[in-house]
Amino acid sequence: MTPEPFGARLRHAMDTRGPLCVGIDPHASLLTSWGLNDDIAGLERFTRTVVEALADRVAVLKPQSAFFERFGSRGIAVLEKAVAEARSAGALVLMDAKRGDIGSTMGAYAATYLDQDSPLFSDAVTVSPYLGFGSLRPALDAAAVSGAGVFVLALTSNPEGAEVQRATAADGRSLAQLMLDHMAAENAGAAPLGSVGAVVGATLGDAGVDLAINGPLLAPGIGAQGATPADLPGVFGAAVGNVVPSVSRGVLRHGPDASGLREAAARFADEVRDAVSGS
Ligand SMILES: O=C(O)c1cc(=O)[nH]c(=O)n1[C@@H]1O[C@H](COP(=O)(O)O)[C@@H](O)[C@H]1O
Protein backbone atom coordinates (compact mmCIF):
# COMPACT_ATOMS: atom_id res chain seq x y z
CA MET A 1 0.00 0.00 0.00
CA THR A 2 1.32 3.45 -0.88
CA PRO A 3 1.86 5.47 2.31
CA GLU A 4 0.01 8.78 2.67
CA PRO A 5 2.42 11.53 1.62
CA PHE A 6 4.03 13.65 4.32
CA GLY A 7 2.55 16.88 2.93
CA ALA A 8 -0.98 15.56 3.36
CA ARG A 9 -0.24 14.23 6.86
CA LEU A 10 1.33 17.53 7.87
CA ARG A 11 -1.59 19.59 6.49
CA HIS A 12 -3.99 17.45 8.52
CA ALA A 13 -1.87 17.84 11.67
CA MET A 14 -1.62 21.63 11.18
CA ASP A 15 -5.37 21.89 10.70
CA THR A 16 -6.28 19.78 13.71
CA ARG A 17 -3.50 20.61 16.21
CA GLY A 18 -2.33 24.00 14.96
CA PRO A 19 0.95 24.43 13.06
CA LEU A 20 3.43 24.75 15.95
CA CYS A 21 6.66 22.74 15.94
CA VAL A 22 8.56 22.37 19.21
CA GLY A 23 12.26 21.56 19.00
CA ILE A 24 13.87 19.07 21.37
CA ASP A 25 17.30 20.61 21.91
CA PRO A 26 18.85 19.20 25.09
CA HIS A 27 21.46 21.92 25.65
CA ALA A 28 23.77 21.24 28.62
CA SER A 29 22.56 24.51 30.16
CA LEU A 30 18.91 23.39 29.91
CA LEU A 31 19.67 20.05 31.56
CA THR A 32 21.31 21.98 34.40
CA SER A 33 18.44 24.41 34.77
CA TRP A 34 16.03 21.46 34.93
CA GLY A 35 18.09 20.09 37.86
CA LEU A 36 19.49 17.25 35.74
CA ASN A 37 23.04 16.13 35.19
CA ASP A 38 24.59 16.68 31.78
CA ASP A 39 24.86 12.93 31.24
CA ILE A 40 22.93 10.13 29.57
CA ALA A 41 20.44 9.81 32.43
CA GLY A 42 19.76 13.56 32.27
CA LEU A 43 19.36 13.41 28.50
CA GLU A 44 16.95 10.48 28.78
CA ARG A 45 14.83 12.18 31.45
CA PHE A 46 14.75 15.52 29.62
CA THR A 47 13.75 13.94 26.33
CA ARG A 48 11.09 11.68 27.84
CA THR A 49 9.59 14.65 29.70
CA VAL A 50 9.28 16.75 26.54
CA VAL A 51 7.80 13.89 24.51
CA GLU A 52 5.29 12.96 27.23
CA ALA A 53 4.26 16.59 27.70
CA LEU A 54 3.84 17.59 24.07
CA ALA A 55 3.63 14.69 21.61
CA ASP A 56 -0.13 14.36 22.06
CA ARG A 57 -0.79 18.01 21.20
CA VAL A 58 1.72 19.72 18.90
CA ALA A 59 1.79 19.04 15.17
CA VAL A 60 5.53 18.50 14.96
CA LEU A 61 8.36 17.64 17.34
CA LYS A 62 11.84 18.39 16.01
CA PRO A 63 14.69 16.66 17.82
CA GLN A 64 18.03 18.30 17.07
CA SER A 65 20.31 15.33 16.39
CA ALA A 66 23.56 17.04 17.45
CA PHE A 67 22.45 17.26 21.07
CA PHE A 68 21.98 13.48 21.11
CA GLU A 69 25.05 12.62 19.03
CA ARG A 70 27.28 14.35 21.58
CA PHE A 71 26.57 11.42 23.93
CA GLY A 72 27.63 8.81 21.34
CA SER A 73 25.72 5.59 20.79
CA ARG A 74 23.76 5.90 24.03
CA GLY A 75 22.56 9.31 22.96
CA ILE A 76 21.41 7.89 19.63
CA ALA A 77 19.52 5.19 21.53
CA VAL A 78 17.65 7.91 23.45
CA LEU A 79 16.90 9.63 20.15
CA GLU A 80 15.55 6.41 18.58
CA LYS A 81 13.22 5.86 21.52
CA ALA A 82 12.02 9.47 21.42
CA VAL A 83 11.22 9.25 17.72
CA ALA A 84 9.18 6.08 18.22
CA GLU A 85 7.30 7.40 21.27
CA ALA A 86 6.57 10.78 19.75
CA ARG A 87 5.22 9.18 16.58
CA SER A 88 3.05 6.73 18.48
CA ALA A 89 1.57 9.65 20.49
CA GLY A 90 0.54 11.29 17.22
CA ALA A 91 3.22 13.93 16.63
CA LEU A 92 5.03 14.11 13.34
CA VAL A 93 8.78 13.88 13.93
CA LEU A 94 11.06 16.15 11.96
CA MET A 95 14.63 14.99 12.50
CA ASP A 96 16.82 18.08 12.51
CA ALA A 97 20.02 16.59 11.13
CA LYS A 98 20.79 19.12 8.37
CA ARG A 99 22.52 16.52 6.25
CA GLY A 100 24.03 17.33 2.89
CA ASP A 101 26.69 15.45 0.91
CA ILE A 102 27.48 14.17 -2.56
CA GLY A 103 24.64 12.10 -3.93
CA SER A 104 26.00 8.63 -3.17
CA THR A 105 26.62 9.52 0.48
CA MET A 106 23.29 11.31 0.57
CA GLY A 107 21.85 7.90 -0.21
CA ALA A 108 23.22 6.61 3.10
CA TYR A 109 21.68 9.55 4.96
CA ALA A 110 18.41 8.83 3.20
CA ALA A 111 18.64 5.20 4.33
CA THR A 112 19.20 6.42 7.90
CA TYR A 113 16.21 8.77 8.21
CA LEU A 114 13.84 8.02 5.36
CA ASP A 115 13.76 4.23 5.08
CA GLN A 116 10.82 2.79 7.02
CA ASP A 117 13.00 -0.07 8.28
CA SER A 118 15.64 2.18 9.82
CA PRO A 119 15.65 2.63 13.62
CA LEU A 120 15.85 6.41 13.07
CA PHE A 121 13.04 6.57 10.49
CA SER A 122 11.34 9.93 10.89
CA ASP A 123 8.41 11.67 9.26
CA ALA A 124 10.82 14.20 7.76
CA VAL A 125 14.44 15.33 7.91
CA THR A 126 16.25 18.64 7.42
CA VAL A 127 18.87 18.76 4.64
CA SER A 128 21.25 21.33 3.19
CA PRO A 129 21.13 21.92 -0.59
CA TYR A 130 24.34 23.90 -0.75
CA LEU A 131 26.24 21.02 -2.41
CA GLY A 132 23.76 21.54 -5.25
CA PHE A 133 20.05 20.77 -5.15
CA GLY A 134 20.58 17.67 -7.32
CA SER A 135 22.79 16.14 -4.62
CA LEU A 136 19.59 15.74 -2.58
CA ARG A 137 17.99 13.43 -5.15
CA PRO A 138 18.46 10.20 -3.13
CA ALA A 139 16.70 11.81 -0.15
CA LEU A 140 13.89 13.19 -2.29
CA ASP A 141 13.36 9.80 -3.91
CA ALA A 142 13.50 7.86 -0.63
CA ALA A 143 11.04 10.27 0.98
CA ALA A 144 8.59 9.83 -1.88
CA VAL A 145 8.71 6.03 -1.47
CA SER A 146 8.20 6.05 2.31
CA GLY A 147 5.68 8.91 2.54
CA ALA A 148 8.19 11.08 4.37
CA GLY A 149 9.18 14.71 3.93
CA VAL A 150 12.37 16.65 3.33
CA PHE A 151 12.92 20.18 4.65
CA VAL A 152 15.53 21.98 2.59
CA LEU A 153 17.45 24.96 3.97
CA ALA A 154 16.69 28.09 1.96
CA LEU A 155 17.21 31.19 4.12
CA THR A 156 18.43 30.24 7.57
CA SER A 157 17.74 32.22 10.72
CA ASN A 158 21.39 33.00 11.48
CA PRO A 159 22.85 36.29 10.22
CA GLU A 160 25.88 34.50 8.69
CA GLY A 161 23.66 32.64 6.24
CA ALA A 162 23.08 35.61 3.99
CA GLU A 163 26.58 35.69 2.45
CA VAL A 164 25.87 32.34 0.81
CA GLN A 165 22.10 32.25 0.53
CA ARG A 166 21.65 35.82 -0.79
CA ALA A 167 24.54 35.47 -3.25
CA THR A 168 23.60 35.74 -6.90
CA ALA A 169 23.55 32.62 -9.07
CA ALA A 170 24.71 32.66 -12.70
CA ASP A 171 21.20 33.43 -13.98
CA GLY A 172 20.68 36.40 -11.63
CA ARG A 173 18.47 34.70 -9.04
CA SER A 174 19.64 34.52 -5.42
CA LEU A 175 20.88 31.07 -4.40
CA ALA A 176 17.98 30.86 -1.95
CA GLN A 177 15.49 31.61 -4.73
CA LEU A 178 17.15 29.04 -6.97
CA MET A 179 16.68 26.42 -4.25
CA LEU A 180 13.08 27.50 -3.62
CA ASP A 181 12.33 27.18 -7.32
CA HIS A 182 13.71 23.63 -7.26
CA MET A 183 11.41 22.88 -4.32
CA ALA A 184 8.41 24.31 -6.17
CA ALA A 185 9.20 22.01 -9.10
CA GLU A 186 9.32 18.98 -6.76
CA ASN A 187 5.95 19.90 -5.26
CA ALA A 188 4.18 20.72 -8.53
CA GLY A 189 0.70 19.21 -8.63
CA ALA A 190 0.75 17.91 -5.05
CA ALA A 191 -2.41 18.46 -3.01
CA PRO A 192 -3.18 19.59 -0.41
CA LEU A 193 0.52 20.32 0.19
CA GLY A 194 3.79 19.01 -1.23
CA SER A 195 6.21 17.00 0.89
CA VAL A 196 9.29 19.10 0.17
CA GLY A 197 9.48 21.95 2.65
CA ALA A 198 11.71 24.99 2.87
CA VAL A 199 13.45 26.31 5.98
CA VAL A 200 13.12 30.09 6.19
CA GLY A 201 14.05 31.86 9.41
CA ALA A 202 11.39 33.86 11.22
CA THR A 203 14.15 36.34 12.06
CA LEU A 204 14.57 37.68 8.53
CA GLY A 205 12.13 40.57 8.29
CA ASP A 206 10.70 40.44 4.77
CA ALA A 207 12.11 37.22 3.27
CA GLY A 208 12.29 38.95 -0.10
CA VAL A 209 11.92 35.73 -2.08
CA ASP A 210 9.04 33.92 -3.77
CA LEU A 211 7.79 31.40 -1.21
CA ALA A 212 5.03 29.88 -3.35
CA ILE A 213 6.57 26.41 -3.33
CA ASN A 214 3.32 24.52 -2.64
CA GLY A 215 5.05 23.05 0.39
CA PRO A 216 5.47 23.69 4.10
CA LEU A 217 7.72 26.49 5.34
CA LEU A 218 9.57 25.71 8.58
CA ALA A 219 10.18 28.96 10.47
CA PRO A 220 12.78 28.59 13.22
CA GLY A 221 14.13 31.53 15.19
CA ILE A 222 11.07 32.24 17.34
CA GLY A 223 11.82 32.70 21.03
CA ALA A 224 15.51 32.55 21.94
CA GLN A 225 16.70 34.02 18.62
CA GLY A 226 14.41 37.01 18.98
CA ALA A 227 11.59 36.50 16.49
CA THR A 228 7.97 36.35 17.64
CA PRO A 229 4.82 34.87 16.08
CA ALA A 230 3.73 38.44 15.27
CA ASP A 231 6.68 38.62 12.82
CA LEU A 232 5.36 35.75 10.69
CA PRO A 233 3.02 37.68 8.36
CA GLY A 234 5.76 40.19 7.57
CA VAL A 235 8.30 37.48 6.74
CA PHE A 236 6.01 35.10 4.86
CA GLY A 237 3.32 37.31 3.36
CA ALA A 238 0.72 35.38 1.37
CA ALA A 239 2.46 32.06 2.18
CA VAL A 240 1.86 32.40 5.94
CA GLY A 241 -0.82 29.68 5.89
CA ASN A 242 1.87 27.10 5.04
CA VAL A 243 4.21 28.13 7.85
CA VAL A 244 5.24 25.72 10.60
CA PRO A 245 6.66 28.04 13.27
CA SER A 246 9.38 26.37 15.32
CA VAL A 247 10.42 27.08 18.91
CA SER A 248 12.99 25.18 20.96
CA ARG A 249 14.48 27.02 23.98
CA GLY A 250 11.49 29.38 24.17
CA VAL A 251 9.39 26.38 25.28
CA LEU A 252 12.03 24.15 26.85
CA ARG A 253 13.15 26.75 29.38
CA HIS A 254 9.71 26.38 31.01
CA GLY A 255 10.47 22.79 32.13
CA PRO A 256 10.96 20.51 33.93
CA ASP A 257 7.26 20.41 34.81
CA ALA A 258 5.07 19.07 32.03
CA SER A 259 2.51 21.77 32.84
CA GLY A 260 5.09 24.52 32.25
CA LEU A 261 6.03 23.05 28.89
CA ARG A 262 2.39 22.64 27.87
CA GLU A 263 1.47 26.17 28.91
CA ALA A 264 4.42 27.67 27.04
CA ALA A 265 3.59 25.71 23.89
CA ALA A 266 -0.07 26.74 24.19
CA ARG A 267 0.92 30.40 24.52
CA PHE A 268 3.04 30.23 21.36
CA ALA A 269 0.25 28.36 19.57
CA ASP A 270 -2.26 31.08 20.55
CA GLU A 271 0.09 33.85 19.40
CA VAL A 272 0.63 32.06 16.10
CA ARG A 273 -3.12 31.66 15.58
CA ASP A 274 -3.71 35.35 16.31
CA ALA A 275 -0.87 36.44 14.01
CA VAL A 276 -1.90 34.21 11.12
CA SER A 277 -5.66 34.89 11.37
CA GLY A 278 -5.07 38.64 11.64
CA SER A 279 -2.81 38.76 8.60
O1 LIG B 1 16.55 23.65 10.56
C1 LIG B 1 16.35 24.21 11.63
O2 LIG B 1 15.52 23.78 12.44
C2 LIG B 1 17.00 25.51 11.87
C3 LIG B 1 17.22 26.29 10.77
C4 LIG B 1 17.59 27.64 10.94
O3 LIG B 1 17.69 28.40 9.98
N1 LIG B 1 17.78 28.11 12.20
C5 LIG B 1 17.62 27.32 13.31
O4 LIG B 1 17.78 27.84 14.41
N2 LIG B 1 17.30 25.99 13.15
C6 LIG B 1 17.24 25.10 14.33
O5 LIG B 1 16.14 25.48 15.13
C7 LIG B 1 16.47 25.38 16.51
C8 LIG B 1 16.36 26.77 17.13
O6 LIG B 1 16.41 26.67 18.51
P1 LIG B 1 15.95 27.88 19.45
O7 LIG B 1 16.72 29.07 19.02
O8 LIG B 1 16.30 27.38 20.82
O9 LIG B 1 14.46 28.03 19.27
C9 LIG B 1 17.87 24.80 16.58
O10 LIG B 1 17.75 23.39 16.70
C10 LIG B 1 18.47 25.13 15.24
O11 LIG B 1 19.41 24.19 14.81
Side-chain angles (χ1 to χ4, degrees):
M1 205 178 80
T2 316
E4 189 182 14
F6 174 73
R9 293 190 289 127
L10 177 61
R11 179 85 269 167
H12 178 71
M14 292 167 75
D15 291 345
T16 52
R17 294 183 166 205
L20 191 70
C21 166
V22 175
I24 309 179
D25 295 33
H27 294 253
S29 57
L30 278 171
L31 296 181
T32 304
S33 74
W34 281 33
L36 300 169
N37 291 330
D38 184 25
D39 61 13
I40 197 72
L43 177 78
E44 207 281 328
R45 178 76 179 275
F46 180 97
T47 306
R48 184 161 29 92
T49 301
V50 178
V51 170
E52 286 178 1
L54 298 175
D56 66 349
R57 57 198 67 208
V58 298
V60 183
L61 282 175
K62 182 175 74 72
Q64 168 46 251
S65 182
F67 290 106
F68 296 85
E69 291 172 37
R70 74 192 179 96
F71 291 98
S73 59
R74 292 186 302 164
I76 302 294
V78 173
L79 182 58
E80 285 174 10
K81 194 159 165 263
V83 171
E85 289 178 0
R87 297 190 77 225
S88 71
L92 295 171
V93 173
L94 168 55
M95 180 64 72
D96 191 0
K98 294 196 186 61
R99 299 306 194 224
D101 209 315
I102 61 165
S104 52
T105 304
M106 198 66 216
Y109 286 131
T112 303
Y113 302 111
L114 300 168
D115 180 329
Q116 299 224 24
D117 295 329
S118 165
L120 283 170
F121 175 70
S122 301
D123 296 285
V125 64
T126 56
V127 297
S128 171
Y130 291 108
L131 272 73
F133 191 87
S135 67
L136 302 179
R137 181 52 53 199
L140 298 167
D141 289 349
V145 169
S146 60
V150 176
F151 279 85
V152 183
L153 300 182
L155 285 168
T156 54
S157 65
N158 58 319
E160 304 87 357
E163 72 175 16
V164 174
Q165 298 152 14
R166 300 277 188 196
T168 306
D171 66 1
R173 285 178 285 179
S174 68
L175 285 183
Q177 187 63 63
L178 184 62
M179 298 308 162
L180 288 160
D181 291 347
H182 280 299
M183 297 175 219
E186 295 295 319
N187 287 329
L193 196 63
S195 297
V196 179
V199 180
V200 176
T203 48
L204 297 172
D206 181 351
V209 287
D210 178 5
L211 294 167
I213 64 164
N214 188 32
L217 303 165
L218 184 76
I222 295 170
Q225 294 178 52
T228 69
D231 295 326
L232 294 171
V235 178
F236 292 94
V240 76
N242 289 343
V243 170
V244 179
S246 187
V247 186
S248 301
R249 285 167 290 179
V251 169
L252 301 172
R253 69 185 180 83
H254 295 281
D257 290 343
S259 59
L261 295 169
R262 288 185 183 134
E263 282 160 20
R267 276 196 302 276
F268 277 110
D270 286 347
E271 289 176 34
V272 166
R273 193 179 325 107
D274 290 348
V276 171
S277 66
S279 67

mmCIF file of all heavy atoms in Angstrom, residues 74-101:
data_model
loop_
_atom_site.group_PDB
_atom_site.id
_atom_site.type_symbol
_atom_site.label_atom_id
_atom_site.label_comp_id
_atom_site.label_asym_id
_atom_site.label_seq_id
_atom_site.Cartn_x
_atom_site.Cartn_y
_atom_site.Cartn_z
ATOM 1 N N ARG A 74 24.858 5.884 23.044
ATOM 2 C CA ARG A 74 23.758 5.899 24.028
ATOM 3 C C ARG A 74 22.833 7.089 23.797
ATOM 4 O O ARG A 74 21.632 7.007 24.057
ATOM 5 C CB ARG A 74 24.314 5.868 25.445
ATOM 6 C CG ARG A 74 24.985 4.515 25.760
ATOM 7 C CD ARG A 74 25.421 4.407 27.199
ATOM 8 N NE ARG A 74 26.359 5.478 27.549
ATOM 9 C CZ ARG A 74 26.672 5.835 28.775
ATOM 10 N NH1 ARG A 74 26.105 5.248 29.812
ATOM 11 N NH2 ARG A 74 27.550 6.789 28.991
ATOM 12 N N GLY A 75 23.402 8.175 23.317
ATOM 13 C CA GLY A 75 22.557 9.315 22.959
ATOM 14 C C GLY A 75 21.661 8.998 21.775
ATOM 15 O O GLY A 75 20.478 9.374 21.739
ATOM 16 N N ILE A 76 22.218 8.287 20.797
ATOM 17 C CA ILE A 76 21.415 7.893 19.634
ATOM 18 C C ILE A 76 20.284 6.951 20.062
ATOM 19 O O ILE A 76 19.170 7.024 19.542
ATOM 20 C CB ILE A 76 22.295 7.203 18.557
ATOM 21 C CG1 ILE A 76 23.429 8.130 18.102
ATOM 22 C CG2 ILE A 76 21.452 6.756 17.368
ATOM 23 C CD1 ILE A 76 23.004 9.359 17.370
ATOM 24 N N ALA A 77 20.577 6.096 21.048
ATOM 25 C CA ALA A 77 19.520 5.193 21.528
ATOM 26 C C ALA A 77 18.369 5.994 22.149
ATOM 27 O O ALA A 77 17.192 5.666 21.954
ATOM 28 C CB ALA A 77 20.094 4.198 22.538
ATOM 29 N N VAL A 78 18.702 7.054 22.879
ATOM 30 C CA VAL A 78 17.654 7.914 23.448
ATOM 31 C C VAL A 78 16.850 8.567 22.321
ATOM 32 O O VAL A 78 15.614 8.650 22.373
ATOM 33 C CB VAL A 78 18.278 8.989 24.372
ATOM 34 C CG1 VAL A 78 17.224 9.995 24.830
ATOM 35 C CG2 VAL A 78 18.956 8.341 25.574
ATOM 36 N N LEU A 79 17.562 8.988 21.288
ATOM 37 C CA LEU A 79 16.896 9.634 20.147
ATOM 38 C C LEU A 79 15.937 8.654 19.452
ATOM 39 O O LEU A 79 14.796 9.006 19.141
ATOM 40 C CB LEU A 79 17.968 10.144 19.175
ATOM 41 C CG LEU A 79 17.498 10.895 17.941
ATOM 42 C CD1 LEU A 79 16.664 12.124 18.300
ATOM 43 C CD2 LEU A 79 18.712 11.323 17.091
ATOM 44 N N GLU A 80 16.397 7.426 19.236
ATOM 45 C CA GLU A 80 15.545 6.413 18.581
ATOM 46 C C GLU A 80 14.251 6.207 19.359
ATOM 47 O O GLU A 80 13.158 6.150 18.786
ATOM 48 C CB GLU A 80 16.272 5.063 18.515
ATOM 49 C CG GLU A 80 17.357 4.990 17.482
ATOM 50 C CD GLU A 80 18.127 3.672 17.578
ATOM 51 O OE1 GLU A 80 17.708 2.746 18.312
ATOM 52 O OE2 GLU A 80 19.167 3.579 16.920
ATOM 53 N N LYS A 81 14.398 6.097 20.671
ATOM 54 C CA LYS A 81 13.217 5.858 21.516
ATOM 55 C C LYS A 81 12.276 7.058 21.450
ATOM 56 O O LYS A 81 11.053 6.904 21.377
ATOM 57 C CB LYS A 81 13.710 5.621 22.950
ATOM 58 C CG LYS A 81 12.703 5.046 23.875
ATOM 59 C CD LYS A 81 13.432 4.374 25.062
ATOM 60 C CE LYS A 81 12.442 4.107 26.184
ATOM 61 N NZ LYS A 81 12.424 5.122 27.222
ATOM 62 N N ALA A 82 12.850 8.255 21.462
ATOM 63 C CA ALA A 82 12.016 9.468 21.422
ATOM 64 C C ALA A 82 11.235 9.544 20.118
ATOM 65 O O ALA A 82 10.053 9.909 20.104
ATOM 66 C CB ALA A 82 12.901 10.706 21.586
ATOM 67 N N VAL A 83 11.892 9.206 19.020
ATOM 68 C CA VAL A 83 11.217 9.248 17.723
ATOM 69 C C VAL A 83 10.017 8.293 17.740
ATOM 70 O O VAL A 83 8.893 8.661 17.372
ATOM 71 C CB VAL A 83 12.186 8.882 16.575
ATOM 72 C CG1 VAL A 83 11.435 8.720 15.259
ATOM 73 C CG2 VAL A 83 13.285 9.938 16.438
ATOM 74 N N ALA A 84 10.251 7.075 18.216
ATOM 75 C CA ALA A 84 9.175 6.077 18.224
ATOM 76 C C ALA A 84 8.037 6.520 19.139
ATOM 77 O O ALA A 84 6.849 6.431 18.772
ATOM 78 C CB ALA A 84 9.727 4.725 18.670
ATOM 79 N N GLU A 85 8.362 7.025 20.320
ATOM 80 C CA GLU A 85 7.305 7.396 21.273
ATOM 81 C C GLU A 85 6.534 8.627 20.799
ATOM 82 O O GLU A 85 5.318 8.702 20.950
ATOM 83 C CB GLU A 85 7.910 7.609 22.662
ATOM 84 C CG GLU A 85 8.349 6.282 23.255
ATOM 85 C CD GLU A 85 9.005 6.373 24.612
ATOM 86 O OE1 GLU A 85 9.152 7.487 25.145
ATOM 87 O OE2 GLU A 85 9.379 5.306 25.129
ATOM 88 N N ALA A 86 7.249 9.581 20.237
ATOM 89 C CA ALA A 86 6.566 10.783 19.749
ATOM 90 C C ALA A 86 5.621 10.421 18.609
ATOM 91 O O ALA A 86 4.478 10.894 18.554
ATOM 92 C CB ALA A 86 7.590 11.819 19.284
ATOM 93 N N ARG A 87 6.073 9.559 17.713
ATOM 94 C CA ARG A 87 5.216 9.184 16.577
ATOM 95 C C ARG A 87 4.012 8.403 17.076
ATOM 96 O O ARG A 87 2.894 8.592 16.604
ATOM 97 C CB ARG A 87 6.004 8.356 15.556
ATOM 98 C CG ARG A 87 7.171 9.140 14.927
ATOM 99 C CD ARG A 87 7.791 8.398 13.764
ATOM 100 N NE ARG A 87 6.971 8.494 12.576
ATOM 101 C CZ ARG A 87 6.671 7.479 11.782
ATOM 102 N NH1 ARG A 87 7.115 6.263 12.057
ATOM 103 N NH2 ARG A 87 5.903 7.646 10.729
ATOM 104 N N SER A 88 4.224 7.519 18.055
ATOM 105 C CA SER A 88 3.052 6.734 18.479
ATOM 106 C C SER A 88 2.068 7.585 19.263
ATOM 107 O O SER A 88 0.879 7.269 19.319
ATOM 108 C CB SER A 88 3.458 5.457 19.210
ATOM 109 O OG SER A 88 3.966 5.789 20.448
ATOM 110 N N ALA A 89 2.507 8.725 19.815
ATOM 111 C CA ALA A 89 1.574 9.649 20.490
ATOM 112 C C ALA A 89 0.929 10.617 19.501
ATOM 113 O O ALA A 89 0.167 11.489 19.904
ATOM 114 C CB ALA A 89 2.299 10.417 21.591
ATOM 115 N N GLY A 90 1.268 10.522 18.234
ATOM 116 C CA GLY A 90 0.545 11.294 17.225
ATOM 117 C C GLY A 90 1.264 12.508 16.683
ATOM 118 O O GLY A 90 0.728 13.196 15.816
ATOM 119 N N ALA A 91 2.474 12.803 17.201
ATOM 120 C CA ALA A 91 3.221 13.929 16.627
ATOM 121 C C ALA A 91 3.959 13.464 15.372
ATOM 122 O O ALA A 91 4.368 12.303 15.279
ATOM 123 C CB ALA A 91 4.223 14.471 17.640
ATOM 124 N N LEU A 92 4.123 14.372 14.441
ATOM 125 C CA LEU A 92 5.034 14.109 13.336
ATOM 126 C C LEU A 92 6.435 14.458 13.817
ATOM 127 O O LEU A 92 6.629 15.481 14.486
ATOM 128 C CB LEU A 92 4.658 14.967 12.126
ATOM 129 C CG LEU A 92 3.288 14.656 11.517
ATOM 130 C CD1 LEU A 92 2.912 15.702 10.471
ATOM 131 C CD2 LEU A 92 3.281 13.262 10.909
ATOM 132 N N VAL A 93 7.406 13.622 13.499
ATOM 133 C CA VAL A 93 8.777 13.877 13.935
ATOM 134 C C VAL A 93 9.605 14.379 12.757
ATOM 135 O O VAL A 93 9.733 13.703 11.734
ATOM 136 C CB VAL A 93 9.418 12.615 14.545
ATOM 137 C CG1 VAL A 93 10.900 12.851 14.829
ATOM 138 C CG2 VAL A 93 8.692 12.230 15.831
ATOM 139 N N LEU A 94 10.129 15.572 12.937
ATOM 140 C CA LEU A 94 11.060 16.153 11.960
ATOM 141 C C LEU A 94 12.454 16.044 12.565
ATOM 142 O O LEU A 94 12.768 16.719 13.542
ATOM 143 C CB LEU A 94 10.699 17.623 11.692
ATOM 144 C CG LEU A 94 11.722 18.467 10.927
ATOM 145 C CD1 LEU A 94 12.111 17.839 9.600
ATOM 146 C CD2 LEU A 94 11.177 19.881 10.710
ATOM 147 N N MET A 95 13.265 15.160 11.996
ATOM 148 C CA MET A 95 14.625 14.993 12.501
ATOM 149 C C MET A 95 15.484 16.146 11.986
ATOM 150 O O MET A 95 15.676 16.310 10.784
ATOM 151 C CB MET A 95 15.200 13.660 11.999
ATOM 152 C CG MET A 95 16.616 13.392 12.477
ATOM 153 S SD MET A 95 16.736 13.206 14.251
ATOM 154 C CE MET A 95 15.968 11.601 14.454
ATOM 155 N N ASP A 96 15.980 16.958 12.919
ATOM 156 C CA ASP A 96 16.821 18.077 12.509
ATOM 157 C C ASP A 96 18.264 17.601 12.469
ATOM 158 O O ASP A 96 18.971 17.608 13.471
ATOM 159 C CB ASP A 96 16.645 19.255 13.464
ATOM 160 C CG ASP A 96 17.286 20.518 12.922
ATOM 161 O OD1 ASP A 96 17.854 20.471 11.808
ATOM 162 O OD2 ASP A 96 17.222 21.551 13.608
ATOM 163 N N ALA A 97 18.672 17.142 11.304
ATOM 164 C CA ALA A 97 20.016 16.593 11.129
ATOM 165 C C ALA A 97 20.831 17.429 10.142
ATOM 166 O O ALA A 97 22.047 17.332 10.106
ATOM 167 C CB ALA A 97 19.927 15.153 10.641
ATOM 168 N N LYS A 98 20.152 18.239 9.354
ATOM 169 C CA LYS A 98 20.787 19.120 8.369
ATOM 170 C C LYS A 98 21.882 18.417 7.583
ATOM 171 O O LYS A 98 22.997 18.903 7.447
ATOM 172 C CB LYS A 98 21.349 20.380 9.037
ATOM 173 C CG LYS A 98 20.250 21.270 9.616
ATOM 174 C CD LYS A 98 20.752 22.660 9.914
ATOM 175 C CE LYS A 98 19.709 23.495 10.623
ATOM 176 N NZ LYS A 98 19.291 22.951 11.945
ATOM 177 N N ARG A 99 21.532 17.272 7.018
ATOM 178 C CA ARG A 99 22.517 16.520 6.250
ATOM 179 C C ARG A 99 22.644 17.085 4.837
ATOM 180 O O ARG A 99 21.696 17.648 4.286
ATOM 181 C CB ARG A 99 22.123 15.045 6.174
ATOM 182 C CG ARG A 99 22.040 14.345 7.506
ATOM 183 C CD ARG A 99 23.319 14.496 8.316
ATOM 184 N NE ARG A 99 23.358 13.566 9.440
ATOM 185 C CZ ARG A 99 23.738 13.864 10.668
ATOM 186 N NH1 ARG A 99 24.100 15.094 10.974
ATOM 187 N NH2 ARG A 99 23.776 12.948 11.609
ATOM 188 N N GLY A 100 23.793 16.918 4.258
ATOM 189 C CA GLY A 100 24.030 17.334 2.887
ATOM 190 C C GLY A 100 25.374 16.788 2.456
ATOM 191 O O GLY A 100 26.374 17.019 3.142
ATOM 192 N N ASP A 101 25.408 16.023 1.361
ATOM 193 C CA ASP A 101 26.688 15.453 0.913
ATOM 194 C C ASP A 101 26.544 15.105 -0.561
ATOM 195 O O ASP A 101 25.475 15.308 -1.148
ATOM 196 C CB ASP A 101 27.029 14.214 1.760
ATOM 197 C CG ASP A 101 28.533 14.002 1.890
ATOM 198 O OD1 ASP A 101 29.245 14.110 0.870
ATOM 199 O OD2 ASP A 101 28.999 13.733 3.013
#
